[in-house]
Amino acid sequence: MKALLTSPRTAWIVVGVMAAILVVAVTTLQARSATASAGTAAVNHISTNTIPMAELPSIRGEEMAVLTAPPHVPAPITRNYATKVKVELEMFEKTMEIAPGVEYNFWTFGGTVPGSFIRVREGDLVEFTLRNHHSSTVPHNIDLHAVTGPGGGAEASLVVPGHEGVFSFRATKPGLYVYHCATAPVALHVANGMYGLILVEPKEGLPEVDHEFYVMQSDFYTEGAHGEQGFQPFSMEKAIAEQADYVVFNGSTTALTGDNALKVRQGETVRMYLGNGGPNLMSNFHIIGAVLDNVYLEGGTVAQNNVQTTLIPAGGSAIAEFRADVAGDLILVDHAIFRAFHKGAIGMMHVEEVPELAERGRQIFSGPQANRPYTSSAVIED
Amino acid sequence: MLRSAALVLALALCLPLPASGSGVAAVSLDTAMVRVPAGSHLPLYANAGARIAVPAFEIDPFPVTRRDFAAFVRESPQWRRSRINPAFAGARYLDGWRGDLSFGTPHDALRPVTQVSWFAARAYCAAAGKRLPTTAEWEYVAAASEAETDASRNGRFIADVLRTYGARRTPVAPIDGAAPNRFGVHHLHDRSWEWVSDFNSVLMGDDSRGASGHDRRLYCAAGSIGATDPGNYPAFLRYGFRAGLEGRTTADNLGFRCARSIP
């Protein structure tokens, strides 16, 4: 500024520009205040008045919820009215493989990690019966992020082994929500596998797709290093330090690989209900070989288009949709890539070629066209 | 009619089974009560420095076994499985027993008795001229490792206890004389959870069914707000277990032992 003002001519130019800016600014301010004083609802500010009171539709009839184990998802809801949905979920503590030859004592909702997928419709009254198998060592409960109310149901559902608890809630807000155990010490219950997803389908339903899958990432902490064989107890030290031995999809390093790979056909549309149970790590979810056409960020109602990698927070979710245009294997990873290569965060989706679509697929991606030696003229100076 | 006939048959078949010592593998365990010197206990939820003084008391070195409990119900018929007042125990009271006085096979004799309610446990102790330990007494005794009387801040001990809890299975294994803690007390961690006299007064508010008052701390901010030692996961598990109890609750992995004040 000082340099500019050394010449009187420059100084006058500066003053002139400043005056012009001032005039524009004042005019803008006046225009804004005129809009504001007109009292239109278009003013963009946050007020409690902009949050409507959720409608509580009347309840017709009742039905039993169909729960599914990952990677499966219950069929879309065809009802066009709210009903009472009875959910019965049993909690088991059971030893399963987290990796080939490595056993872990998982605490589960429904016998799987992640727990059973629950699907209800916006407005439904959900009557939740939570059962704790008599062989469990500790009490468990459930906090559903879809619940509006103290503890998300946790206080209302604490059950000791061999007991069941019942509570009800209205699924007032559509979205994909995490549920988890919230019994002290919560971190231990979550670290042992107690989480899953509940979908509150919007009342207008979701667009039809060819496949829906349920994939949930989570991190595990064992006394032995990654891959150390045999039974591996939980390591509290590593969990507190957030030094995961395993980062996996659907509870094991092989849940979505080999024969367990997800399978679709070329040209089909896929909707993935993605969750992250944590307890510690965020998921940088990426599918090698696909661009995600729609991603409902954080499991909410707004979709972002053409996403390469989406962030799923611990205790959060996302819904991803895409069309499998090209045949071949798609690879699901946490793009914090050491987790994929060294800790198990890897899965596969096999896209089977459809003859009518093979040529279109080759137009989108050629595959290898050449691979030959060449001689470089570049000189690298160290 | 058919059902009651079957019940009679079942009783007839079961009664000849050993209800007490006969046929049980000879295990010599010194069951004389252990004298625990006065000390103190810092509850998991407490204001800073609010240690609870624990006067000297006596405690059973072993949990009460099925054989012990069978002897009790022989003398006190109102606590037999077929006669229990439903107000005092849930439907699975003494589940797994073959009959009112028969706890199962000889191998089951030295298993800690489980599927007993707080009311039944309290009655058992009273009949023996004892009482249930308080939470403070139980936690104070259970904070001892084999080497130290207070290992509650010893990371290795805490990790061992946590691993032990994870390795427990039901039916609960029989008692043995291995590895008493520094006070000479056995199986505080490696068999079952145990009743304390004040399981509900520490954590519960107006009644023992709703979650209120202190209990809420277990849900708030992952139960960590106000905890005196967030690293003591085993203590969280015990407090969490007690929070889920009512006086009539019974479970496969919930037993008890008795204590006695020193006059």
Side-chain angles (χ1 to χ4, degrees):
Chain A
M1 200 66 174
K2 196 177 172 190
L4 278 175
L5 293 176
T6 48
S7 136
R9 194 167 158 242
T10 321
W12 278 114
I13 292 170
V14 169
V15 169
V17 169
M18 281 180 162
I21 290 171
L22 195 63
V23 168
V24 171
V26 168
T27 313
T28 313
L29 273 176
Q30 280 171 342
R32 283 202 180 164
S33 70
T35 314
S37 61
T40 65
V43 179
N44 186 20
H45 66 274
I46 301 296
S47 140
T48 51
N49 295 330
T50 64
I51 301 174
M53 265 199 175
E55 181 199 353
L56 297 180
S58 57
I59 300 298
R60 274 170 53 190
E62 66 174 52
E63 63 183 47
M64 277 303 286
V66 174
L67 308 183
T68 58
H72 304 291
V73 177
I77 292 169
T78 52
R79 254 185 303 116
N80 60 1
Y81 56 90
T83 194
K84 176 170 157 184
V85 180
K86 297 173 119 175
V87 176
E88 296 181 358
L89 189 52
E90 188 167 20
M91 302 175 288
F92 307 92
E93 300 168 4
K94 60 190 275 196
T95 299
M96 298 184 283
E97 276 196 345
I98 191 170
V102 185
E103 292 193 318
Y104 189 84
N105 187 227
F106 293 94
W107 295 358
T108 76
F109 284 103
T112 57
V113 175
S116 306
F117 195 100
I118 306 167
R119 186 170 198 152
V120 300
R121 182 182 177 274
E122 179 184 356
D124 281 349
L125 173 65
V126 183
E127 184 189 272
F128 213 104
T129 302
L130 192 65
R131 303 193 165 116
N132 190 0
H133 192 260
H134 61 81
S135 66
S136 295
T137 53
V138 293
H140 298 295
N141 64 3
I142 194 166
D143 167 356
L144 299 118
H145 291 178
V147 169
T148 303
E155 293 187 35
S157 63
L158 182 70
V159 277
V160 297
H163 290 70
E164 64 178 28
V166 182
F167 69 100
S168 296
F169 67 94
R170 277 292 187 121
T172 52
K173 296 169 189 182
L176 180 63
Y177 300 95
V178 167
Y179 66 78
H180 62 91
C181 183
T183 305
V186 181
L188 177 63
H189 288 255
V190 173
N192 282 344
M194 297 200 80
Y195 37 75
L197 292 178
I198 175 171
L199 173 67
V200 180
E201 215 177 298
K203 54 181 183 286
E204 60 277 10
L206 292 165
E208 197 177 330
V209 289
D210 296 309
H211 295 277
E212 291 188 319
F213 294 116
Y214 169 22
V215 175
M216 198 162 186
Q217 180 175 320
S218 50
D219 30 299
F220 287 88
Y221 305 82
T222 53
E223 291 196 347
H226 179 94
E228 199 169 312
Q229 297 288 288
F231 181 80
Q232 293 297 329
F234 165 74
S235 166
M236 197 172 100
E237 270 178 33
K238 288 181 183 174
I240 292 172
E242 304 190 11
Q243 291 166 350
D245 295 285
Y246 295 88
V247 181
V248 293
F249 295 125
N250 288 359
S252 98
T253 61
T254 58
L256 297 176
T257 60
D259 290 344
N260 299 324
L262 304 174
K263 292 171 188 70
V264 305
R265 295 174 46 128
Q266 189 177 9
E268 289 183 326
T269 50
V270 178
R271 178 179 294 128
M272 305 195 70
Y273 296 105
L274 304 167
N276 183 4
N280 287 322
L281 306 178
M282 283 186 285
S283 171
N284 313 276
F285 186 81
H286 176 79
I287 300 183
I288 300 174
V291 175
L292 304 171
D293 292 271
N294 307 314
V295 173
Y296 292 83
L297 302 167
E298 296 161 3
T301 43
V302 176
Q304 165 75 296
N305 302 122
N306 305 330
V307 174
Q308 56 190 309
T309 300
T310 193
L311 196 62
I312 312 173
S317 70
I319 304 172
E321 297 169 344
F322 64 99
R323 186 181 290 277
D325 280 315
V326 177
D329 286 331
L330 301 175
I331 310 295
L332 286 54
V333 295
D334 182 334
H335 215 297
I337 208 70
F338 275 83
R339 297 175 189 168
F341 278 71
H342 298 278
K343 299 186 174 183
I346 203 152
M348 279 177 70
M349 182 182 292
H350 181 69
V351 183
E352 186 192 338
E353 188 169 81
V354 172
E356 310 84 84
L357 295 173
E359 178 49 34
R360 182 175 184 272
R362 278 190 287 277
Q363 286 176 21
I364 294 171
F365 180 65
S366 70
Q369 287 176 309
N371 190 334
R372 56 202 168 214
Y374 84 109
T375 306
S376 177
S377 56
V379 178
I380 300 171
E381 294 176 20
D382 284 326
Chain B
M1 193 63 197
L2 203 63
R3 215 176 133 199
S4 55
L7 188 66
V8 170
L9 188 66
L11 287 172
L13 285 172
C14 291
L15 279 171
L17 284 168
S20 56
S22 61
V24 173
V27 179
S28 168
L29 297 171
D30 182 2
T31 58
M33 291 185 95
V34 169
R35 189 182 196 279
V36 182
S40 67
H41 162 64
L42 180 63
L44 186 59
Y45 294 100
N47 297 322
R51 293 191 77 89
I52 295 178
V54 178
F57 67 106
E58 290 179 317
I59 193 163
D60 288 342
F62 295 98
V64 173
T65 64
R66 291 193 188 192
R67 185 177 63 187
D68 298 333
F69 204 79
F72 163 66
V73 297
R74 186 181 290 280
E75 300 301 315
S76 310
Q78 71 272 30
W79 295 102
R80 293 177 188 175
R81 203 172 62 159
S82 65
R83 304 207 197 163
I84 186 77
N85 181 335
F88 293 149
R92 298 189 61 213
Y93 177 68
L94 297 181
D95 193 51
W97 285 40
R98 296 193 178 187
D100 264 354
L101 301 174
S102 172
F103 47 72
T105 69
H107 180 66
D108 297 321
L110 292 180
R111 293 188 195 280
V113 65
T114 57
Q115 292 288 6
V116 284
S117 65
W118 175 81
F119 293 103
R122 196 177 58 154
Y124 175 98
C125 293
K130 305 176 186 177
R131 57 173 174 77
L132 285 171
T134 64
T135 301
E137 287 170 341
W138 197 97
E139 291 284 334
Y140 165 49
V141 173
S145 64
E146 286 180 53
E148 301 172 84
T149 53
D150 182 4
S152 61
R153 299 282 168 146
N154 178 331
R156 177 179 290 247
F157 173 69
I158 296 300
D160 282 348
V161 172
L162 194 59
R163 197 179 307 110
T164 300
Y165 287 169
R168 293 194 314 210
R169 294 289 177 269
T170 54
V172 176
I175 61 171
D176 59 44
N181 76 6
R182 191 76 176 83
F183 292 117
V185 180
H186 298 259
H187 301 317
L188 286 156
H189 300 295
D190 62 2
R191 289 299 185 271
S192 74
W193 306 110
E194 296 185 2
W195 280 109
V196 289
S197 60
D198 55 347
F199 73 96
N200 58 355
S201 63
V202 174
L203 290 164
M204 302 287 184
D206 43 356
D207 70 29
S208 63
R209 267 169 284 182
S212 55
H214 298 284
D215 194 15
R216 197 152 274 152
R217 298 198 203 182
L218 281 168
Y219 304 107
C220 190
S224 60
I225 290 180
T228 51
D229 182 6
N232 195 337
Y233 276 28
F236 275 107
L237 287 170
R238 294 192 296 272
Y239 277 73
F241 198 95
R242 290 175 198 137
L245 298 174
E246 294 174 31
R248 59 194 294 282
T249 304
T250 70
D252 279 344
N253 60 355
L254 177 59
F256 71 102
R257 72 182 70 214
C258 305
R260 187 160 60 195
S261 303
I262 295 173

